[in-house]
Amino acid sequence: MPPSDDNSNPISPEVSDPAVAPLEPDEPAVFDLPNGSADEVVNVADEVNATLNILLPWGISLLLHAGVVLLAVFAVWTVVVATTDEEIVIPELELSATPDAPLVQQMQVREVTEPQPQQAPTPTPTPQPTPTETIDLSTQLVGLAGPSSSVPFGATISGPQLNSTFMGSRGGNARRIVFLIESGGSIVDTLPFVLEELKSSIRKLSEQQRFTVIFYAEHYGRNGLVEVPPGNLSSANAQQKQRVITWMDLDQRNVWAGGKSNVIPALRQALAYRPQLIYWLTDNPLGEGAFLIDRQRLLDSIEDTNRNNTKINTIQFLYPDPFMEAGQRATLEVVAEQSGGKFRFVDARELGLQ
């Protein structure tokens, strides 16, 4: 039966018109563009390439320069941070006239301001009456500042008025200072002297400085220490200095001597304030009895706790360290050297007690 002309026939009719004949599989499709369009495409491509050739080097150059600038900023920031962390502190009580100046410049200021000896003309000898023999104690007592000083903190003692400065200072750059004072039973009779010396030193502080005072002994209760109010470092203005001085008066009963002492909690408290300088006065840094600690343990504890590179000026008060009597360096001397501070030994003779 011949094939039906019905549209439902699934067999497609043969295509006889060559204009719509399907492409052969291997024959590529060709699309005709309007006249001149191909040339315009080529010209646009050339312009894009030319623009990229011009802009690309500039873009790369800008990126490289930006990278160099960022590296320079990072390097400068790193140096500034390192310089701040490695600030050199001159371990002196009194603030110099130029505390922010470089160390070399401060030393030059010291040399300029240091009084120079003057040679006076030789006077014509004249007969003089024989004076009554006197003793100049300022040449007899050798204190912390050398032959011209007699006491560690700066106050006077009974008898002739002997002027001195704390640790013989002429000015440093320490702005944050902690006074750490042992008040155990061994200094019962000399505590009044210590307090007067301490008051004298506090009066010399500048308003640019901050300070606190910590006393330590077992009778102070928790942690075995007591601190002048309000605690932490306070501005050394006139009002605060007077409050501290009044608070330390013995008749206020805030400070007294007695019993044994343990310096470890007190040192940790002092170092927690991140001071630049600590003055530590004690006659027995290693304690005794239940508070006796090993020397190396003390040194290790200070080194581990002192994260701020605080300078520690130490004063061995009245009694020599047993290590000194054995021909070795005093414990406080090692502490001072380890932290970059200064060490002094003040005996009874220097206090005028002998």
Side-chain angles (χ1 to χ4, degrees), residues 47 50 54 101 111 145 160 181 214 245 283 286 321 324 333:
E47 290 179 3
I54 294 173
E111 293 175 0
I181 311 297
I214 298 175
I245 289 171
D283 64 351
L286 298 180
D321 189 308
M324 296 172 63
E333 182 179 2

Side-chain angles (χ1 to χ4, degrees), residues 211-228:
F211 78 104
T212 190
V213 185
I214 298 175
F215 296 90
Y216 68 98
E218 63 177 339
H219 57 259
Y220 292 127
R222 185 174 180 269
N223 291 332
L225 60 89
V226 64
E227 183 176 357
V228 299

Side-chain angles (χ1 to χ4, degrees), residues 249-326:
D249 285 340
L250 288 175
D251 56 7
Q252 298 291 323
R253 297 298 298 167
N254 294 314
V255 180
W256 69 96
K260 300 177 177 60
S261 58
N262 179 11
V263 74
I264 295 296
L267 269 172
R268 288 176 178 168
Q269 180 70 28
L271 290 169
Y273 294 143
R274 301 177 64 83
Q276 294 174 307
L277 181 61
I278 291 177
Y279 285 103
W280 178 17
L281 181 145
T282 179
D283 64 351
N284 185 12
L286 298 180
E288 59 182 332
F291 299 118
L292 179 64
I293 59 176
D294 178 72
R295 168 168 160 151
Q296 191 58 49
R297 180 194 165 198
L298 172 65
L299 298 175
D300 291 343
S301 177
I302 295 174
E303 186 173 12
D304 293 340
T305 310
N306 190 7
R307 301 298 184 183
N308 194 49
N309 297 321
T310 299
K311 305 290 186 295
I312 304 178
N313 284 356
T314 56
I315 303 171
Q316 182 75 37
F317 192 64
L318 288 182
Y319 307 110
D321 189 308
F323 286 92
M324 296 172 63
E325 297 178 336

Side-chain angles (χ1 to χ4, degrees), residues 45-303:
D46 291 342
E47 290 179 3
V48 170
N49 289 334
T51 303
L52 289 176
N53 289 335
I54 294 173
L55 296 180
L56 190 58
W58 284 99
I60 295 174
S61 177
L62 289 175
L63 289 175
L64 290 176
H65 281 80
V68 171
V69 170
L70 289 175
L71 287 175
V73 170
F74 177 76
V76 171
W77 177 81
T78 303
V79 171
V80 170
V81 171
T83 301
T84 302
D85 292 341
E86 297 175 3
E87 178 184 3
I88 299 176
V89 175
I90 302 175
E92 305 287 0
L93 173 70
E94 295 180 60
L95 201 64
S96 71
T98 56
D100 295 321
L103 182 60
V104 174
Q105 182 176 340
Q106 292 200 40
M107 293 304 181
Q108 292 173 348
V109 171
R110 287 187 179 186
E111 293 175 0
V112 172
T113 57
E114 184 73 20
Q116 301 296 326
Q118 298 181 355
Q119 293 183 353
T122 305
T124 303
T126 56
Q128 297 290 337
T130 303
T132 304
E133 182 179 359
T134 60
I135 299 176
D136 184 0
L137 292 182
S138 64
T139 61
Q140 300 287 326
L141 305 178
V142 180
L144 296 179
S148 62
S149 174
S150 62
V151 288
F153 291 100
T156 58
I157 59 177
S158 58
Q161 301 296 305
L162 304 177
N163 296 324
S164 67
T165 55
F166 192 79
M167 301 295 289
S169 66
R170 291 185 299 273
N173 64 342
R175 296 179 184 272
R176 304 188 304 276
I177 299 174
V178 174
F179 296 92
L180 185 61
I181 311 297
E182 179 197 351
S183 57
S186 57
I187 63 170
V188 169
D189 53 347
T190 53
L191 181 60
F193 168 79
V194 171
L195 293 179
E196 289 305 314
E197 296 296 297
L198 185 55
K199 292 176 183 179
S200 178
S201 295
I202 289 173
R203 292 188 182 99
K204 297 176 183 177
L205 294 174
S206 163
E207 289 192 1
Q208 301 179 55
Q209 295 171 294
R210 302 177 66 81
F211 78 104
T212 190
V213 185
I214 298 175
F215 296 90
Y216 68 98
E218 63 177 339
H219 57 259
Y220 292 127
R222 185 174 180 269
N223 291 332
L225 60 89
V226 64
E227 183 176 357
V228 299
N232 210 325
L233 302 181
S234 301
S235 174
N237 55 53
Q239 295 79 8
Q240 178 61 14
K241 288 192 290 187
Q242 186 55 50
R243 280 194 291 266
V244 170
I245 289 171
T246 302
W247 185 89
M248 292 191 304
D249 285 340
L250 288 175
D251 56 7
Q252 298 291 323
R253 297 298 298 167
N254 294 314
V255 180
W256 69 96
K260 300 177 177 60
S261 58
N262 179 11
V263 74
I264 295 296
L267 269 172
R268 288 176 178 168
Q269 180 70 28
L271 290 169
Y273 294 143
R274 301 177 64 83
Q276 294 174 307
L277 181 61
I278 291 177
Y279 285 103
W280 178 17
L281 181 145
T282 179
D283 64 351
N284 185 12
L286 298 180
E288 59 182 332
F291 299 118
L292 179 64
I293 59 176
D294 178 72
R295 168 168 160 151
Q296 191 58 49
R297 180 194 165 198
L298 172 65
L299 298 175
D300 291 343
S301 177
I302 295 174
E303 186 173 12

